[in-house]
Amino acid sequence: ATSLALLPVVVDGRIVALASAANCRGNPPPGEPELRLLQDVLQGLGRPLRRTLELQRARETALVLQRSFLPTVPDLAGAEIRARYVPANAAAEVGGDWYDATRLPGGAVALTIGDVAGHDLDAATAMGSVNSMLRGLAWDAGPRADPARTLDRLDGMVQGLGTASLITTVHALLCPDPGRGWHITLANAGHPPPLLLRAAGPVDCLGEEPDPPLCAPT
């Protein structure tokens, strides 16, 4: 016969797990001394379990916050925009990575991809602020703006407000070019370069050597 004893693992008045003690092959079932010892061990796990649950809740909150900042890309006449966010691993799932596509007057679109340093709630919050600033600057500058100038303005704002410690980003303007398709102008602040994939032919890196990241020490 086999006997089984279940003991609750309680954190902040809530049962978060069950611990079991069993006997088999004719051994006597756990007595009160053994159960008290197990209960003492479980009580000692309360603090680390509480910390683990707090970190899990913070991670879930940061993930929801980060995903809420990622936009629905606009529909364009004559072009198709698609976006996909895939973390490299579970540790990188929460952080300051973002992309954005903002429709501007005249049919142009401001495209951005970037990363605020960090993999926590602070990085996700800073990313939301940086993205909002850049979106506003792009709208204010309009479709004829120089993306490098827009990033310079963003750098000044972020450093002045102390929003983030280090940012890499590519900011581009995609403008309709009647009779020829689309014209793209971009600026790169320390980010991996965007790639141009043609229907047939080689894959090219766009842009020259990137400028330093935003907020980088000088």
Side-chain angles (χ1 to χ4, degrees):
T2 299
S3 62
L4 178 68
L6 296 177
L7 295 175
V9 180
V10 180
V11 175
D12 294 333
R14 184 164 58 97
I15 297 176
V16 298
L18 290 174
S20 63
N23 78 304
C24 58
R25 296 183 180 179
N27 294 319
E32 287 191 12
E34 290 82 7
L35 294 178
R36 282 198 299 269
L37 176 61
L38 181 57
Q39 189 68 55
D40 291 341
V41 172
L42 295 178
Q43 288 179 353
L45 294 176
R47 179 173 295 179
L49 282 175
R50 182 181 297 108
R51 179 58 177 163
T52 299
L53 292 173
E54 290 173 351
L55 291 174
Q56 182 179 2
R57 286 192 292 266
R59 177 184 172 278
E60 292 171 351
T61 300
L63 185 58
V64 171
L65 178 66
Q66 181 185 31
R67 294 299 173 91
S68 71
F69 290 137
L70 300 179
T72 300
V73 296
D75 293 326
L76 297 179
E80 186 177 6
I81 299 177
R82 290 291 180 264
R84 188 181 183 194
Y85 179 85
V86 181
N89 51 56
E93 192 171 15
V94 176
D97 302 280
W98 91 93
Y99 63 83
D100 190 46
T102 303
R103 189 189 299 273
L104 302 178
V109 178
L111 301 174
T112 306
I113 184 170
D115 182 15
V116 174
H119 293 289
D120 52 20
L121 181 58
D122 289 341
T125 304
M127 175 269 288
S129 298
V130 171
N131 185 30
S132 296
M133 290 181 198
L134 183 52
R135 177 179 286 191
L137 289 171
W139 176 266
D140 179 66
R144 299 183 181 276
D146 177 4
R149 173 57 182 156
T150 302
L151 289 186
D152 284 342
R153 295 177 65 192
L154 176 65
D155 191 27
M157 291 181 65
V158 171
Q159 292 199 48
L161 296 173
T163 306
S165 58
L166 192 70
I167 304 166
T168 66
T169 183
V170 174
H171 179 62
L173 289 180
L174 185 65
C175 300
D177 190 355
R180 301 181 61 184
W182 295 84
H183 177 76
I184 187 168
T185 307
L186 63 86
N188 188 340
H191 204 74
L195 302 178
L196 175 62
L197 176 61
R198 298 180 175 87
V203 177
D204 295 328
C205 294
L206 296 181
E208 301 176 353
E209 287 294 322
D211 292 326
L214 306 185
C215 303
T218 56

